[in-house]
C-alpha cells in the first residue's frame, strides 16, 4: 500500500493480481468472443468451463512510480478516529456486522412501476467499507467460508493519491442502483456506508440469499502491479464444503458474468484484464466467501487496477464511473431478461 493509503491489512475477499489458470478450449473460445464484441458474449455456454476451486497466490503489489490523480470522495489517508457519519437514509453507523444480520439496506425509493425489470430483485455489494481501517481487530477475525476460513473483511486497496477502493465501489453502487431502479428492479445493498465496519463476507452473502436476489454483483477495483490493467469478472467455482455449495449457481453465475463482461467492454471501452483470465475478462475462483456461500447467481467485478496509472485515469473519472455502472446494469438486465 502506498503512502497516504490504508495500512496493508490481510488482503480482501475478491482481490486478484494472480496468474491466470491454464488455458482450456473454452478460454480460447472466449478470447475470440471478446474480440468479436458483445454479440459473441451472448453465445456463452453457461454450463461449460473448467472448475477452479484451488486458492491461487496473490501477486506482490508494486507501487506506481508516478502519482495517480486524486478523485473526489473520502481519502484512504484520513487519520485519527472518525465518528460514524449519517447514511443516505439519515441513520448513523451500526456497531458492526452483528447488527441487522442478513438484513441489508433496502432501496428507499420505489422502482419504476413499468420497467423491464419489474418484480426482479438485485443485490448490490459495494466492496469493503471506508471505516474498516479503524476496526482492524474486528475485520481481521476469522470467519467460516465453507471451504476454509478467511478474514471477516479487509480495507481494500487505493490509488497512490489515496482514492480508496471502498469509496470507488460505493460511488459505482449508487450509480448502479439508480439505473436499475429506473429499469423497475428492487435494489438491496449489503451496506450503504452506514456501518462502523464490514459487513463480513459471510453476511454479504447472507444478505443476497435472504433477499432471494435474482442476481447479485460485488463491486471492486484491484490492487495489482503497474502495467497490469483492465477489468475482470470473477465467477464462482464448483465448491462444496460446510455451508458452501455452489452447484446450483455456477451455471447462471457464469452467464451473468459473461453478459456483464460483454456489456462492460462495449459501454466503457475498458479492455479485459491483461493479467487475469487469458484475455476473456473472466476468472473462476473457489476461495471467496461472498461467492462460496451465495445461493443466488452472483459475481464479483474488478473494474480496473488502482495501481496502474492508465486504469487510475478511468477509475477516478466520474463520467467513466457512470459508464461502468451502465455497463454492469446492462449486463444484469440482459441476464434477467434472458
Amino acid at each position: 500500500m502506498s503512502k497516504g493509503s490504508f495500512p496493508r491489512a490481510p488482503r480482501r475477499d475478491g482481490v486478484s493480481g494472480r496468474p491466470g489458470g491454464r488455458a482450456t478450449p473454452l478460454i480460447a473460445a472466449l478470447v475470440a468472443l471478446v474480440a468479436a464484441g458483445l454479440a459473441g458474449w451472448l453465445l456463452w455456454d453457461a454450463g461449460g468451463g473448467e472448475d477452479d476451486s484451488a486458492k491461487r497466490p496473490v501477486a506482490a503489489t508494486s507501487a506506481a512510480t508516478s502519482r495517480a490523480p486524486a478523485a473526489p470522495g473520502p481519502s484512504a489517508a484520513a487519520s485519527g478516529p472518525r465518528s460514524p457519519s449519517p447514511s443516505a437514509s439519515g441513520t448513523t453507523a451500526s456497531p458492526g456486522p452483528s447488527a441487522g444480520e442478513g438484513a441489508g439496506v433496502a432501496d428507499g425509493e420505489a422502482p419504476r412501476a413499468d420497467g423491464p425489470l419489474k418484480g426482479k430483485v438485485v443485490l448490490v455489494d459495494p466492496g469493503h467499507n471506508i471505516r474498516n481501517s479503524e476496526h482492524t481487530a474486528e475485520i481481521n477475525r476469522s470467519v467460516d467460508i465453507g471451504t476454509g476460513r478467511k478474514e471477516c473483511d479487509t480495507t481494500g486497496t487505493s490509488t497512490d493519491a489515496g482514492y480508496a477502493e471502498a469509496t470507488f465501489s460505493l460511488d459505482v453502487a449508487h450509480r448502479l442502483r439508480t439505473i436499475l431502479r429506473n429499469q423497475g428492479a428492487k435494489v438491496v445493498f449489503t451496506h450503504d456506508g452506514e456501518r462502523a465496519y464490514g459487513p463480513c463476507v459471510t453476511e454479504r452473502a447472507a444478505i443476497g440469499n435472504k433477499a432471494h436476489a435474482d442476481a447479485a454483483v460485488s463491486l471492486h477495483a484491484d490492487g495489482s502491479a503497474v502495467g497490469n490493467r483492465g477489468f475482470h469478472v470473477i465467477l464462482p467455482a464448483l465448491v462444496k464444503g460446510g455451508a458452501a455449495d455452489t452447484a446450483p449457481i455456477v451455471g447462471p453465475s457464469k452467464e451473468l458474468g459473461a453478459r456483464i463482461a460483454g456489456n462492460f467492454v462495449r459501454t466503457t471501452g475498458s479492455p479485459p484484464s491483461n493479467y487475469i483470465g487469458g484475455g476473456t475478462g473472466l476468472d473462476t475462483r473457489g476461495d471467496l466467501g461472498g461467492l462460496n456461500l451465495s445461493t443466488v447467481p452472483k459475481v464479483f467485478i474488478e473494474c480496473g487496477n488502482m495501481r496502474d496509472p492508465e486504469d487510475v485515469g478511468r477509475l477516478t473519472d466520474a463520467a467513466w464511473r457512470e459508464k461502468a455502472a451502465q455497463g454492469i446494469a446492462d449486463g444484469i438486465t440482459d441476464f434477467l431478461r434472458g
Side-chain angles (χ1 to χ4, degrees), residues 152-177:
C152 159
D153 199 12
T154 63
T155 60
T157 189
S158 71
T159 68
D160 284 352
Y163 181 49
E165 179 188 5
T167 300
F168 167 83
S169 66
L170 191 58
D171 177 88
V172 175
H174 287 156
R175 298 170 188 273
L176 178 59
R177 178 172 62 188

Side-chain angles (χ1 to χ4, degrees), residues 35-128:
L38 176 61
W41 281 104
L42 299 183
L43 298 176
W44 169 262
D45 179 0
E50 179 180 5
D51 294 321
D52 175 16
S53 59
K55 180 178 179 181
R56 287 168 285 177
V58 178
T61 299
S62 171
T65 55
S66 60
R67 300 294 290 178
S75 169
S79 60
R82 266 186 307 230
S83 298
S85 59
S87 70
S89 62
T91 60
T92 56
S94 73
S98 61
E101 185 78 20
V105 181
D107 192 350
E109 295 187 26
R112 177 180 161 187
D114 59 347
L117 298 185
K118 180 180 179 181
K120 300 296 185 181
V121 178
V122 178
L123 185 282
V124 175
D125 176 26
H128 313 291

Side-chain angles (χ1 to χ4, degrees), residues 29-44 258 261-263 265-266:
L30 284 172
V31 173
L33 292 180
V34 169
L38 176 61
W41 281 104
L42 299 183
L43 298 176
W44 169 262
N263 280 279
V265 169
R266 177 179 60 82

Side-chain angles (χ1 to χ4, degrees), residues 23-303:
T24 66
L26 177 63
I27 292 296
L30 284 172
V31 173
L33 292 180
V34 169
L38 176 61
W41 281 104
L42 299 183
L43 298 176
W44 169 262
D45 179 0
E50 179 180 5
D51 294 321
D52 175 16
S53 59
K55 180 178 179 181
R56 287 168 285 177
V58 178
T61 299
S62 171
T65 55
S66 60
R67 300 294 290 178
S75 169
S79 60
R82 266 186 307 230
S83 298
S85 59
S87 70
S89 62
T91 60
T92 56
S94 73
S98 61
E101 185 78 20
V105 181
D107 192 350
E109 295 187 26
R112 177 180 161 187
D114 59 347
L117 298 185
K118 180 180 179 181
K120 300 296 185 181
V121 178
V122 178
L123 185 282
V124 175
D125 176 26
H128 313 291
N129 184 324
I130 196 65
R131 301 183 184 88
N132 276 357
S133 62
E134 301 166 4
H135 298 275
T136 55
E138 291 88 347
I139 67 168
N140 287 345
R141 67 186 178 87
S142 176
V143 297
D144 187 353
I145 66 168
T147 56
R149 300 190 70 85
K150 293 193 77 169
E151 298 84 4
C152 159
D153 199 12
T154 63
T155 60
T157 189
S158 71
T159 68
D160 284 352
Y163 181 49
E165 179 188 5
T167 300
F168 167 83
S169 66
L170 191 58
D171 177 88
V172 175
H174 287 156
R175 298 170 188 273
L176 178 59
R177 178 172 62 188
T178 297
I179 297 168
L180 292 172
R181 178 195 296 145
N182 289 338
Q183 294 289 310
K186 175 185 176 182
V187 180
V188 176
F189 274 21
T190 55
H191 75 97
D192 197 6
E194 83 289 0
R195 298 176 66 118
Y197 61 90
C200 291
V201 296
T202 49
E203 187 181 355
R204 290 173 188 265
I207 291 169
N209 298 344
K210 185 174 181 178
H212 302 290
D214 297 288
V217 60
S218 188
L219 306 174
H220 293 269
D222 207 0
S224 188
V226 175
N228 290 344
R229 60 180 61 100
F231 79 92
H232 63 278
V233 180
I234 304 175
L235 314 173
L238 180 61
V239 299
K240 186 170 184 178
D245 182 2
T246 60
I249 68 163
V250 164
S253 295
K254 285 181 177 179
E255 182 180 352
L256 171 63
R259 290 179 184 254
I260 288 176
N263 280 279
F264 202 84
V265 169
R266 177 179 60 82
T267 304
T268 67
S270 182
S273 169
N274 65 2
Y275 63 104
I276 295 290
T280 67
L282 300 176
D283 185 37
T284 302
R285 292 179 64 177
D287 64 309
L288 304 179
L291 296 180
N292 286 3
L293 300 175
S294 181
T295 59
V296 300
K298 185 174 183 179
V299 299
F300 281 39
I301 181 167
E302 301 278 4
C303 295

